[in-house]
Amino acid sequence: MGRSRVQVNKAHKTRFSSKSSRNLHRTSLQDGGRIGKSDSSYVKGARAARVQRGKMLRDQKRAAVLKEKRASGGLNSAPRVIVLFPLSASVELNSLGEDVLKLLASDGSGIASSTVASSEYKLRATVLKAPYGDLLTSMEMAKVADLMAFVASASSPWEENKSNFIDSFGSQRLSVLRSIGLPSTTVLIRDLPIDLKKKNEMKKICASQIASEFPEDCKFYPADTRDELHKFMWLFKAQRLAVPHWRSQRPYVVAQKVGMVVDDESSGMCTLLLSGYLRARKISVNQLVHVSGVGDFQFSKIEVLKDPIPLNERKNQNSMELDASHDEEVLKSLVPDPIKQEPLIVENTPDPLAGEQTWPTEEEMAEADKNQKQGKLKKRNLPRGTSEYQAAWIVDDTDEEDSGDGHSNDNGMVLDRGEDSNQERRYDQDFEDDEKSLNVRDFDSATQNDSEMMDDEDLTEEQIKEEIKKIKEAHAEDEEFPDEVETPIDVPARRRFAKYRGLKSFRTSTWDPNESLPQDYARIFAFDNVARTQKLVLKQALKMEEDRDDCVPTGSYVRMHIKEVPLVAASKLSSLVNTTKPIIGFGLLQHESKMSVLHFSVKKYDGYEAPLKTKEELVFHVGFRQFIARPVFSTDNFSSDKHKMERFLHPGGFSLASIYGPISFPPLPLVVLKISEGSGAPAVAALGSLKSIEPNKIILKKIILTGYPQRVSKMKASVRYMFHNPEDVKWFKPVEVWSKCGRRGRVKEPVGTHGKGLLLGEI
């Protein structure tokens, strides 16, 4: 009898899984809970830590925002600076400024100062009015402004599809202020119609036509009546102000009173006294201070005075009158520590023995004897003072004879400095390496007309026009034929272009940055790692925010005693204190008084049409600083360590501007001004920012010698008018030649009756 079998059917294949098959891997909570979810304390602790860390970060951000709000608008904060900028010449600022001051003052009568305290708004403010047409004053006010209030007039004549709410100067000033960095901005519209419907229509028209010139968060307010200004002030009081990052890194004081103490008139120095509210950060009595337009100095003392305008003052004490007879109460006095005080160092002291050759070791002498025996060292006629590195660029006649085929792996030449330098300098004025042309000195706008900015003061008007015409022609020629020069007939080319070398590749060829540097170049400072140094300096500046005995808290009314200030400069500052231009004293970070080589990324201003030549005297506004320098323009190459010098700053792109100047840590804005002879107002020439601090950046002058081909065959060509004697042809024989179509070749030999032509091979 056969054994019974149990029938087993094949599993049914379905396109989609059934509910029962999906639940096969699941387990009930009674059998041990969910799979993949551990109930261990380790997982619970990690989640709780993440939750706690997120809560801590939110609390820190909330506390930082609250601290910033209290610092900018609290009872102990410095008065907020409101600067009124007119957008056109038809705007009347005097009436608007008086209306704002009367609104803020508890008693509208007797306002004798631009700083008032309002018990109604619980706010202290300083109202400044930027004069129309004065770009320098507008820039100085913008550097200290907490709120920029641009004022537009609705009564300005305007045509269809063309707005005159902003005229040419207003547009220029607005572009410069954007380059410096805009803090919180708003637009006040004056002279609106009385009718409500027409008023709203005109406000919409004004906002739509000029909104593209301002940030997206900029608000537009009517500002004709007291109620409209009242609404604006309430919104301004609750507004969180934003300032440029570069300004928040350094403490500064806007002087409201300037004095001086003369110890010895024969020395020509005095102690300058600047009184005002400390802003942005704490300041240490041991750090250096820079007074705009004068220079860098040390503190002799810092006094913390009683606040002359407290927020809870009486109605009859609104004014900021600081009479000489009024005894200011000194709350605290800080004296610098001679050990901790930062020294005022501008230039480095070079070591005269740093470049001396040490006595060779026995191994070096043995290696030299071995090379001499093998015949590797040949006697060569080198120029006087030529180093071993420079000798590698010089090709000897014996080397050319040994090569036989005219090819050489060393495609370069070096300057024979024994030649007549005076004649060479006469023909190389555009490319002259004169380190004195990059000198930097402090710029005082009050004496800008007295500065030595032009060397041709004795020229007549016709001669000046002729010089301007030559500069424009050179600019046009440089733009059409860049780097192309003509070989002079009366001077040998080997002498005229002796400083130049033939580079096989501008990007990959080696060039020693420390070669043939002048002795004065050792007087500037260089960093091993600029980014690391800046990080350490900013970290050290943050430590001043802690409770320290040598620091003054932000918002205090201080009187800074600045020692060893020139008496002439202090007298000029004392006469300028009652003018509209602010006097700024700001604390320097570490190393910011030392000289180095600064490189700026600049672009020519669209509204400036005159040519800007390399080493032309220009006014640089870098952050709070202002000085005169002669920049060298060059191309900004990212893929090469060498940069080609440009004779002119051409529009349409960014270039590098290199100067000798005081060290400043980026980011910092740059505004370049050009003061022309005969015009009092400077013109905006270029805008940019600080890029790097690097003394070893290589900037090379590039020239192209051109000739005219006469006979061209398959492998050879005859060229004329590139050189004018056979010795020049032999001198430049190692340099590779190429055509504009990309064909490359070598110089074979001079040809012609006098050897003025040359024969090229392998083209």
Side-chain angles (χ1 to χ4, degrees):
M1 207 176 152
R3 197 170 45 173
S4 63
R5 294 196 224 172
V6 178
Q7 182 178 356
V8 178
N9 297 326
K10 188 177 180 180
H12 180 66
K13 293 182 179 180
T14 59
R15 186 177 179 185
F16 302 101
S17 60
S18 61
K19 184 182 298 184
S20 60
S21 62
R22 288 199 303 266
N23 295 331
L24 286 176
H25 67 282
R26 294 189 177 182
T27 59
S28 62
L29 295 177
Q30 297 177 357
D31 296 338
R34 293 174 298 174
I35 296 177
K37 296 292 184 179
S38 176
D39 291 337
S40 61
S41 60
Y42 169 76
V43 177
K44 291 182 178 180
R47 182 178 181 278
R50 290 197 304 270
V51 173
Q52 182 65 23
R53 178 173 177 80
K55 183 177 180 299
M56 182 181 64
L57 292 176
R58 290 192 299 271
D59 292 341
Q60 288 179 354
K61 290 183 179 180
R62 190 180 296 109
V65 171
L66 183 60
K67 181 181 178 181
E68 181 183 356
K69 186 175 181 180
R70 289 176 177 175
S72 61
L75 298 177
N76 298 326
S77 62
R80 293 187 174 187
V81 179
I82 306 174
V83 183
L84 304 177
F85 291 95
L87 294 177
S88 61
S90 60
V91 176
E92 179 63 32
L93 282 186
N94 293 328
S95 59
L96 178 60
E98 292 178 358
D99 293 342
V100 174
L101 287 175
K102 290 179 180 179
L103 183 67
L104 289 173
S106 301
D107 185 7
S109 60
I111 299 176
S113 174
S114 59
T115 303
V116 293
S118 174
S119 57
E120 179 183 359
Y121 299 100
K122 296 182 180 180
L123 176 72
R124 292 186 298 179
T126 300
V127 181
L128 301 179
K129 295 172 289 186
Y132 182 84
D134 192 349
L135 184 61
L136 289 176
T137 303
S138 301
M139 292 170 57
E140 294 300 313
M141 288 184 177
K143 294 176 183 178
V144 299
D146 294 322
L147 176 70
M148 287 187 180
F150 295 94
V151 186
S153 176
S155 63
S156 302
W158 62 283
E159 302 173 4
E160 188 176 359
N161 298 328
K162 181 179 179 182
S163 171
N164 284 337
F165 292 110
I166 305 178
D167 58 7
S168 59
F169 178 76
S171 179
Q172 180 191 31
R173 178 164 57 181
L174 190 56
S175 62
V176 172
L177 298 184
R178 279 198 300 262
S179 177
I180 294 176
L182 290 176
S184 300
T185 58
T186 187
V187 177
L188 302 179
I189 305 176
R190 299 276 287 182
D191 304 328
L192 289 171
I194 301 177
D195 185 60
L196 183 59
K197 184 177 180 180
K198 294 182 179 180
K199 182 177 183 179
N200 293 332
E201 290 179 357
M202 182 60 68
K203 179 185 174 182
K204 290 181 180 179
I205 292 174
C206 179
S208 62
Q209 292 187 358
I210 66 177
S212 60
E213 301 289 339
F214 300 96
E216 295 181 357
D217 58 346
C218 181
K219 303 296 183 181
F220 292 80
Y221 299 99
D224 286 324
T225 63
R226 182 181 177 89
D227 293 338
E228 293 171 346
L229 291 176
H230 176 72
K231 179 181 178 181
F232 160 70
M233 290 308 303
W234 271 112
L235 295 175
F236 168 64
K237 174 186 178 298
Q239 184 180 4
R240 181 187 175 188
L241 301 180
V243 296
H245 178 66
W246 64 268
R247 202 176 80 183
S248 61
Q249 291 181 334
R250 297 164 178 84
Y252 64 97
V253 171
V254 183
Q256 296 178 340
K257 182 181 178 182
V258 179
M260 59 180 181
V261 177
V262 182
D263 299 328
D264 186 7
E265 295 184 359
S266 60
S267 62
M269 299 292 179
C270 67
T271 300
L272 181 65
L273 307 180
L274 295 182
S275 301
Y277 289 95
L278 181 63
R279 305 171 187 272
R281 285 193 174 184
K282 293 183 179 180
I283 192 170
S284 174
V285 71
N286 294 317
Q287 70 181 118
L288 300 178
V289 62
H290 177 86
V291 181
S292 58
V294 182
D296 303 337
F297 306 98
Q298 289 179 324
F299 287 115
S300 62
K301 184 171 55 173
I302 295 181
E303 295 177 341
V304 181
L305 307 178
K306 183 180 179 181
D307 196 341
I309 296 187
L311 195 56
N312 55 355
E313 64 179 352
R314 297 180 181 178
K315 294 184 179 181
N316 56 355
Q317 294 179 350
N318 289 332
S319 62
M320 189 69 174
E321 299 178 0
L322 299 178
D323 299 333
S325 60
H326 178 67
D327 295 333
E328 297 173 342
E329 182 180 353
V330 179
L331 303 179
K332 186 179 180 181
S333 181
L334 302 179
V335 180
D337 187 357
I339 300 177
K340 297 181 180 180
Q341 189 174 21
E342 186 175 353
L344 183 59
I345 300 176
V346 179
E347 296 178 352
N348 188 19
T349 303
D351 185 6
L353 302 178
E356 290 293 329
Q357 178 67 39
T358 58
W359 188 259
T361 61
E362 295 181 0
E363 291 80 3
E364 294 176 347
M365 295 178 66
E367 186 179 358
D369 294 339
K370 182 180 178 181
N371 294 335
Q372 188 174 8
K373 290 179 181 180
Q374 294 178 357
K376 291 184 178 180
L377 295 179
K378 298 181 180 180
K379 186 176 180 181
R380 306 174 67 185
N381 295 325
L382 300 177
R384 189 175 183 181
T386 305
S387 62
E388 183 180 355
Y389 173 80
Q390 293 172 326
W393 292 85
I394 302 180
V395 181
D396 248 349
D397 295 336
T398 57
D399 297 336
E400 296 175 6
E401 294 174 359
D402 295 339
S403 61
D405 56 354
H407 293 276
S408 176
N409 295 327
D410 196 357
N411 303 326
M413 59 212 67
V414 73
L415 167 64
D416 186 359
R417 300 187 184 277
E419 302 286 347
D420 187 6
S421 60
N422 294 329
Q423 192 172 7
E424 189 275 336
R425 195 160 47 238
R426 185 182 66 185
Y427 291 98
D428 199 14
Q429 293 178 357
D430 294 339
F431 303 96
E432 184 180 5
D433 279 327
D434 186 8
E435 62 272 7
K436 294 182 180 179
S437 64
L438 294 177
N439 62 338
V440 178
R441 59 180 184 271
D442 293 310
F443 173 70
D444 187 0
S445 61
T447 60
Q448 60 186 10
N449 294 329
D450 300 334
S451 62
E452 299 178 359
M453 299 196 62
M454 300 296 291
D455 298 331
D456 52 357
E457 295 180 355
D458 298 333
L459 299 179
T460 61
E461 186 176 354
E462 296 180 355
Q463 291 175 338
I464 293 176
K465 291 182 179 180
E466 192 69 24
E467 290 292 332
I468 295 175
K469 183 179 179 181
K470 290 181 180 179
I471 293 175
K472 290 184 177 180
E473 291 177 355
H475 178 268
E477 184 180 357
D478 180 70
E479 192 171 5
E480 186 176 1
F481 306 103
D483 306 324
E484 293 188 12
V485 297
E486 295 182 359
T487 306
I489 301 177
D490 54 342
V491 179
R494 61 185 183 277
R495 182 188 305 171
R496 169 65 178 83
F497 306 115
K499 285 186 178 182
Y500 298 90
R501 301 175 183 173
L503 293 182
K504 186 174 183 179
S505 174
F506 192 85
R507 184 178 62 88
T508 60
S509 299
T510 59
W511 195 292
D512 187 5
N514 297 321
E515 177 201 355
S516 302
L517 291 178
Q519 185 68 24
D520 290 340
Y521 206 77
R523 295 162 58 188
I524 64 176
F525 290 86
F527 298 112
D528 293 335
N529 192 324
V530 180
R532 182 175 59 187
T533 303
Q534 182 177 358
K535 184 177 179 180
L536 293 176
V537 168
L538 296 179
K539 185 178 180 180
Q540 183 180 359
L542 286 176
K543 293 182 180 179
M544 295 184 184
E545 297 300 315
E546 303 173 357
D547 294 334
R548 291 173 44 174
D549 297 335
D550 61 338
C551 294
V552 180
T554 307
S556 304
Y557 188 80
V558 298
R559 179 166 57 197
M560 301 187 301
H561 296 250
I562 305 172
K563 63 181 182 180
E564 297 182 359
V565 180
L567 188 59
V568 178
S571 302
K572 292 178 181 178
L573 291 180
S574 300
S575 61
L576 290 174
V577 67
N578 294 325
T579 60
T580 57
K581 184 177 180 179
I583 300 173
I584 308 170
F586 69 97
L588 295 175
L589 300 177
Q590 190 180 9
H591 307 303
E592 283 196 333
S593 65
K594 302 172 182 177
M595 299 291 291
S596 186
V597 180
L598 308 182
H599 303 280
F600 298 88
S601 177
V602 298
K603 184 179 181 181
K604 191 174 182 181
Y605 183 62
D606 296 336
Y608 190 80
E609 299 179 355
L612 281 178
K613 193 176 181 181
T614 287
K615 299 179 184 178
E616 190 174 0
E617 200 168 51
L618 300 172
V619 182
F620 274 59
H621 281 255
V622 185
F624 284 112
R625 290 183 183 271
Q626 49 182 340
F627 50 82
I628 293 178
R630 296 178 181 267
V632 172
F633 301 119
S634 61
T635 57
D636 193 359
N637 296 332
F638 296 98
S639 60
S640 175
D641 60 342
K642 295 176 285 294
H643 304 265
K644 185 178 75 70
M645 193 199 78
E646 295 180 340
R647 296 177 59 193
F648 294 90
L649 180 62
H650 297 292
F654 284 90
S655 300
L656 280 182
S658 304
I659 65 169
Y660 292 144
I663 292 175
S664 300
F665 293 105
L668 280 178
L670 169 68
V671 178
V672 181
L673 303 179
K674 172 63 178 175
I675 300 180
S676 303
E677 187 179 7
S679 61
V684 182
L687 302 174
S689 60
L690 177 61
K691 186 174 183 180
S692 62
I693 308 168
E694 189 177 353
N696 291 331
K697 190 179 290 291
I698 302 173
I699 300 176
L700 302 180
K701 305 170 185 176
K702 180 182 177 182
I703 61 170
I704 299 176
L705 302 180
T706 58
Y708 301 93
Q710 298 293 322
R711 296 180 181 178
V712 180
S713 62
K714 186 175 182 180
M715 299 296 294
K716 296 180 182 180
S718 299
V719 179
R720 296 189 64 185
Y721 304 120
M722 183 180 289
F723 303 108
H724 303 288
N725 55 71
E727 289 78 10
D728 289 341
V729 177
K730 295 178 181 179
W731 177 268
F732 287 91
K733 192 175 181 179
V735 183
E736 193 176 19
V737 183
W738 69 91
S739 66
K740 290 188 176 182
C741 298
R743 303 293 301 275
R744 294 181 177 273
R746 296 281 183 176
V747 178
K748 286 289 187 180
E749 58 184 5
V751 296
T753 56
H754 300 286
K756 295 183 179 181
L758 63 150
L759 179 65
L760 304 181
E762 298 183 8
I763 291 185

